[in-house]
Amino acid sequence: MSDPVGPLEWAAKAAFYCVAALTLLGGWFAVSQRNLFRAALGLALALFGVAVLYLFLQAEFLAVAQLLVYVGAILMLIIFGVMLTAGIADPAVPRWNRQAVGAALACGALAVGLVAAVLRAPWLAGAGKEFTLPLEALGRGLLGRYLLPFELLSLLLLGALIGALHIARKEKE
Amino acid sequence: MMETILSWMIFLPLGGAVAVLFLPKGNERLIRGFGLAVTLAVLAGALLLWRGFNPSAAGFQWEQKIAWIPMIGVHYHVGLDGLNFPLILLTGILGVIALLASHTITERIKEYTFLYLLLLGGMLGTFLALDLFLFYVFWEVVLVPMYFLIGIWGGPRREYAAIKFFLYTLAGSVLMLLSILTCYFASTPHTFSIPALIQQGVTLSGTVQWWVFLGFFVAFAIKVPIFPFHTWLPDAHVEAPTPISVILAGVLLKMGGYAFLRISFPIFPEVARGFGIVFAVLGAINVIYGGFVAMAQTDFKKLVAYSSVAHMGFVLLGFAGLTLTGFNGAMLEMFNHGIITGAMFLVVGMLYERTHTRELSAFGGLGAKVPVYGGMLIFFTLASLGLPGLSGFVSEFLALLGCFPTHPVITGISVLGLVIGAGYFLLLLQRVLLGQMPEKWAGLTDLTVREIWLLVPLIGFTLWIGFWPKVALGWQSPSLAGLLYRIGGNAAW
Amino acid sequence: MLLSLIPLLPLAAFVILIFFGRRLGKFSPLVSLTALMGSVLLSFSMLGLLQDARFAHTPPTVAWNWILFGGRRLTFALLADPLAVTMCLVVTVIGWGIMLYSVGYMKGDPRYSRFFAYLSLFFASMLTLVLADHLVLLYIAWEGVGLCSYLLISFWFEKPAAAAAGKKAFLTTRVGDLGLLLGILLLALKGGELSFRGLAAHPEAVGPWAALAAVLLFWGAVGKSAQFPLHVWLPDAMEGPTAVSALIHAATMVAAGVYLTARAFPLFLAGPEALQVVGATGAVTTFFAATIACTQTDLKKILAYSTISQLGFMMLALGCGAAFAGMFHLVTHAAFKALLFLCAGSVIHAVHHQDVTRMGGLLRSMPITGATFLIAAFAMAGVPPLAGFWSKEAVLAAAAGDPLGRGWLLWTAAATAGLTAFYITRAGILIFLGSPRGNGQAHESSWTMTVPLIFLALGAVGIGWINGPWTGHAFERFLHLPVWAAAGHGAAHGTGHGAGVGHGPGLLILSLVLAGGGIGLAFLRYGLGVQLLPERLRRAGQPIYRVIANKYFIDELYEAVLIRPFLAISRALFRFDQRGVDGAVNGAGLAGLWVSRFKGWVDRRIVDGAVNGAAAVTGWLGAGVRGLQTGWVQHYLLIAVVGGMVLLLLLIRGWA
Amino acid sequence: MIVPVSHVAALSAGLFALGLFGALARRNGIGILISIELMLNAANLNFVAFSRAQGDGSGMGQAAALFVIGVAAAGAAVGLALMLAIYRHRRTIAADEIDLLKG
């Protein structure tokens, strides 16, 4: 969908920022919740947020892929993981480990640094003409120029599948 | 084959030594036979040289010069002339006799034969080498087998004696190495070859020449041995097994004297002339001191060892005069001393086998019990004390005659040595052969035919040179005259 | 040439006997006797040749080159001139007699053949010595003779005394030989001729050194002929068999010294001072030995000292320039002294001991030995018709005519003559006359011993006549070497006419009185037991007597002055050699040890220290770093992140 | 582009930092996995944003994002399997208790 013009544009910008804020919130929950299930939900919120952002960036296929794969598959996996490992809600288990403070400082500094650098960086905004990528071009790309990574990815997934199965299998006594 | 005979003579024993290692250890007869074969081959070589040797030919015969380490100008350079021919003959003869006398060595025959042949090769090499580097190599090669031969098969204090002998000679040879290197760098173009050094001389200032000559002098003095450096000799002789002390006295002591003639005198003529008085004094000391100390000995073998010191004193007297007679006397004395003292050690060894003691006080009156042995002992003792008519007298007389014109007083003193020599040798005879025989020697057996035939060639040589020295002197005299002419000595006297 | 056969025959006998001695057994003397007989005949043939005019001036010689190189040419030669032939005859003829005698004397000795081997070797060397024309050849023979005397003296070496005597003889003569050697060296150095003919031809070639060279040669003669300083070995040499003493220590070897002086006379004449030394030594020796002889009780010792005295007598004559007189006395002395010894031998063989005081009255039981002994005794004493008279008279004449006018030479000679007569008669009486003191079952020796006695007795009687006035001094004319006379200055007239009776009756009477007096006194003292000296004088003379009896304590003197210090020096030097020089060597060894030990310590402390230090530091560092490895994954992640950020920062700051 | 690229980039930076904090600070293994997924999403966001802003029409950005999603899936699967295995074995999946590699 091409860029709307005028007042509509300001609303879109506001929506965009709102979704961004929601994504961030979800991220924070995913990271901080003592109860892992809630953390998983936080992650879900964040994933949704990202999907919406893709839409804003006219990457529709990606948004759908995000929803299907990430939310549908990976999240489910994580939830199963949470379920299978006891103590998900045990309040006595401290949420952060010893180096939480240090980690927080480091990440805070990183964040500030990155954001400052990004905002001040002289992006080539508008150097190239903005253009949207027709889906059909993406498909041809995947099976054309990026055929090799595509095949490798399938191989990787197969390997991971077998590996995961083997590791998680219950040992025969 | 004939022109490379010298190399054959050197490498046959060395090769033989290596070959012995492959022989089966148990089969003693094979090893002894093989060893004898090699030494006989060397003797045959020496006799071949004798037949073909032309004493008056200038320069060296059967000379071989092959570049060995061209980079620093070292050649495998061997040659024969009047100086080393008698000593090669002596080595050949004593080589065979000493090995035959080795039947008394019973344990570890294989190592013994190996070391013995190595020693023989080293000695021949030292005498034939005409290149300072090669000479030094063979000089050291001789040391190692001798150290083991004394150290393993020797008497009670063998380790001490072997180490002392080794370190003493090594210290000397270190000084020699310094001198060799100085000669090398002082000669243009740099060379180790002795004839070349002699021709072109050594471009060194007077004092440095003296120091270099001194370096050589100390190394050779230890070997001769000369007075202050002689203390290794009695220990080495007493502790060495009989055949080895025959070789030690017969050949090793000559390397020092020979080296003086071959290296020190021709390369440093002025210094040699100046050193005459030193040689005379040291010679006199050797004769008198050696005689006195020999008089005080109670050990048979030590007495003979100190007598060697006295005999070597006459060699020095021969050098002192820088006259042809003197040099001839010195050279002949080296040859005769090898024969006579070699025989004396054999005789001592034979007695030691039967009585297992060398204390003179333990003997007495053996003359009746073992007449043939007594006869041999008397003969060689008389030869040692320089009885005229035997070879000992000829060389001592010539040495004295040669030294008399330049140092009459010192020669007069050294003549006393003749009386001292007669003194301790007759004392020896009196203690061993004459007087009452202690009953414990009742079972003593006389010499076996084998032992007699060991001594017969030596008796032959002693008598032959005693009565007709002309032949023996004929070998060496032209070369000595040439040497004297070069160093400005008095060739007419 | 025949001449070289003379010494070679006995040498051949020696070689044969050495190798086949034991097998020959009792036939071994035959070998040496035949060999010696060969030499005797050859010597007579030489004598015949000399009479022949052709050889008058060029005596037969044989020469060969001994050493030939460069400037030195030593050619040895044998020369048969009158002097040499005389000595040859003396040696071979008397020697043959003695050898025949020793066949019987040595019978039953276990080493019978070896004895004759040594005897033959002795004859070979002695004949070479006598015939030698070259000083070095003479020196070789000289020591060869010395060797034989050593071997023969210590023949019965079971007796320690014999062994020591042999050694003493060889060493003392060796000291003398040193002089001879130095003389040869000096002659060779100073351009003098080493061959006697050369020496005779131009003795002055040596120039001023002649006297010293002559004295040195004489020193050799002193050693060999047992003159004064070096006489100590002869009395001890009596330990050997009597036949040996007779041959070597009476007739032949000891005469070699006199022969050498006579042979090298031109050299002595070239240096007159040397003649004085010879004369003086002769005089001292003759008188000194005569006095000792009078006091000895051992028969062989008496004869030994008598020999020394007679040799001194000859030397005295030579010292007076009368070479002929000396040689003539040598010849006669050889005859009767050998006889005396052989008689002594047969006496000792019979009574088995040598102490004259325990003998007596043996004349009846041993008539031949007794008679021949007395003949020889009177010959030596100088009783007129016998040999001794003529030669002693000649020597006295020479002493009288001494060119240097030394009166005391004549008087010592005269006194000695008297003493000689006294002690020999004393011995004769004590042994043969008077009541038998010994155990008395002495018996006469076998024919092999008595025949030579008679043979030599004839010699002792007749030998003097060959130079008697009725033969016109034939011997002197025969022995008259041109060189002796040609000396020119004073000495000549001494030999010219002094010999024989011609020197006026004075000398004749003198010698008669001396002989008679000596015999008379001895007869009175020992025959009739008359105390010649009043009691008081005798007691006063007792200490002097004891001194003389102990041979003037010369042996003890030598022992203390020479031998003991000699051994002390050698022991001291040996200790020095052990501790001093060896000490230095071992010291060097020890020093080396200390240096190496110090170096070892340095090695351990410093070098190892540094190495261990480095290890410790790394260990400490390691421990420090180990803290990081917590095994906690997130911790690693944090480190990675922080590291990454720092790098990023640096990158941005433009550091990279 | 309704929003300047820098803003999107800033957003993804924030997200990334949050994820990193979670990975470093959370005790629970699965918590770490969750944080990792967050970081991956931040990266994807950047991919798409830049591809959109000045891509060259080849769709590289989006393709890359797709691949990242694929890899993330594989990673999560294996991670969880590991967590299960560790849990079954050690009764806990607290990261700081699993320190077998301690030096």
Side-chain angles (χ1 to χ4, degrees), chain A residues 99, chain C residues 625-644, chain D residues 24 98-103:
Chain A
Q99 60 179 11
Chain C
V625 169
R626 209 157 94 345
L628 286 176
Q629 302 297 343
T630 54
W632 183 28
V633 173
Q634 286 168 313
H635 184 220
Y636 299 155
L637 193 57
L638 176 64
I639 295 168
V641 164
V642 168
Chain D
L24 289 174
I98 305 160
D99 54 5
L100 270 181
L101 281 178
K102 189 172 177 71

Side-chain angles (χ1 to χ4, degrees), chain B residues 417-463:
Chain B
L418 290 178
V419 176
I420 304 171
Y424 62 76
F425 272 118
L426 290 181
L427 205 62
L428 169 74
L429 279 186
Q430 185 184 352
R431 286 208 199 124
V432 173
L433 292 182
L434 311 181
Q436 285 310 325
M437 183 174 80
E439 73 306 329
K440 61 182 179 192
W441 304 132
L444 214 55
T445 55
D446 208 335
L447 293 189
T448 59
V449 174
R450 176 196 175 85
E451 283 164 340
I452 292 174
W453 274 105
L454 269 184
L455 294 171
V456 163
L458 299 179
I459 293 179
F461 264 98
T462 317
L463 287 173

